[in-house]
Amino acid sequence: MTTALIVIDVQEEYFSGALPIEYPPRDESLERIGEAMDGAAAAGVPVVVVRHVGEPGEGSFQKDSPTFELRKEVADRPRDLMIDKHLPGSFTGTGLQEWLEERDIDHVTIVGYMTNVCCDTTARQALHLGMGAALLHDAVGVPTMPGIDGRPIDAETLQGAALAPLTLIGVEVLPTAQWVASVT
């Protein structure tokens, strides 16, 4: 197995924008993302940074807006590839699959935001492509979101509900420290 670290949407939108990450606390998950990036770089694991680009007039993730920017903690670290995406899945319309195939990478390890949308979609896409997938549960996160009845779903409950089906379908869910120890 050869893995790449996929760092998804660690953008200001999730810190000072419309979708503030609440669980795990954003400063803690951001620190774990940095640890995963540092561990990957030290071990020679390729790092792919993904940015979400909102559609014009959509409101969030507007290119050239302050909330579109990558967090400094990610932007200032080494990476092998930066891709922009317009949909939740990091493989959709991005060239990520081809880039990984060219390097014989058959597994992705995912960190970033939001657990229940872009991280989940990317993990599922990897499985559908015949790849392995892991998600570092303390290096991803969610905000509180409204349920279908309009009542808020607290972030900790939402995080647990997002991770449970991923483990059921074969995504490995583990803490950052364990993953870093396994690659270094």
Side-chain angles (χ1 to χ4, degrees), residues 3-18:
T3 197
L5 180 68
I6 312 297
V7 182
I8 301 175
D9 301 349
V10 185
Q11 293 166 264
E12 195 56 44
E13 189 72 53
Y14 291 119
F15 290 80
S16 63

Side-chain angles (χ1 to χ4, degrees), residues 1-183:
M1 172 187 77
T2 303
T3 197
L5 180 68
I6 312 297
V7 182
I8 301 175
D9 301 349
V10 185
Q11 293 166 264
E12 195 56 44
E13 189 72 53
Y14 291 119
F15 290 80
S16 63
L19 299 164
I21 297 298
E22 294 179 26
Y23 191 83
R26 59 186 160 264
D27 291 335
E28 292 176 23
S29 63
L30 184 60
E31 189 173 335
R32 298 296 87 71
I33 291 166
E35 290 169 4
M37 291 181 75
D38 293 345
V45 171
V47 175
V48 177
V49 173
V50 180
R51 293 184 300 194
H52 189 79
V53 180
E55 293 301 317
E58 193 175 74
S60 57
F61 299 101
Q62 293 297 295
K63 208 166 194 167
D64 302 322
S65 73
T67 55
F68 174 76
E69 298 301 318
L70 287 172
R71 288 289 299 201
K72 182 178 182 355
E73 296 87 344
V74 168
D76 291 350
R77 283 186 160 90
R79 63 180 171 263
D80 297 279
L81 178 67
M82 166 103 72
I83 61 173
D84 287 340
K85 65 178 180 58
H86 296 272
L87 293 168
S90 297
F91 288 93
T92 306
T94 65
L96 176 60
Q97 179 181 353
E98 295 78 14
W99 190 86
L100 295 170
E101 287 174 351
E102 289 168 3
R103 288 153 183 79
D104 294 322
I105 296 169
D106 59 0
H107 184 277
V108 293
T109 301
I110 297 167
V111 300
Y113 305 122
M114 294 190 308
T115 308
N116 60 323
V117 183
C118 298
C119 296
D120 174 289
T121 301
T122 300
R124 289 172 188 264
Q125 286 180 318
L127 293 180
H128 295 172
L129 293 169
M131 303 177 75
L135 192 141
L136 307 185
H137 67 76
D138 54 356
V140 294
V142 296
T144 294
M145 296 182 78
I148 60 171
D149 60 2
R151 290 184 294 185
I153 301 171
D154 73 273
E156 186 172 2
T157 299
L158 185 58
Q159 176 86 339
L163 294 173
L166 291 176
T167 61
L168 180 69
I169 63 171
V171 175
E172 183 181 12
V173 176
L174 67 159
T176 302
Q178 181 180 340
W179 182 78
V180 168
S182 76
V183 297

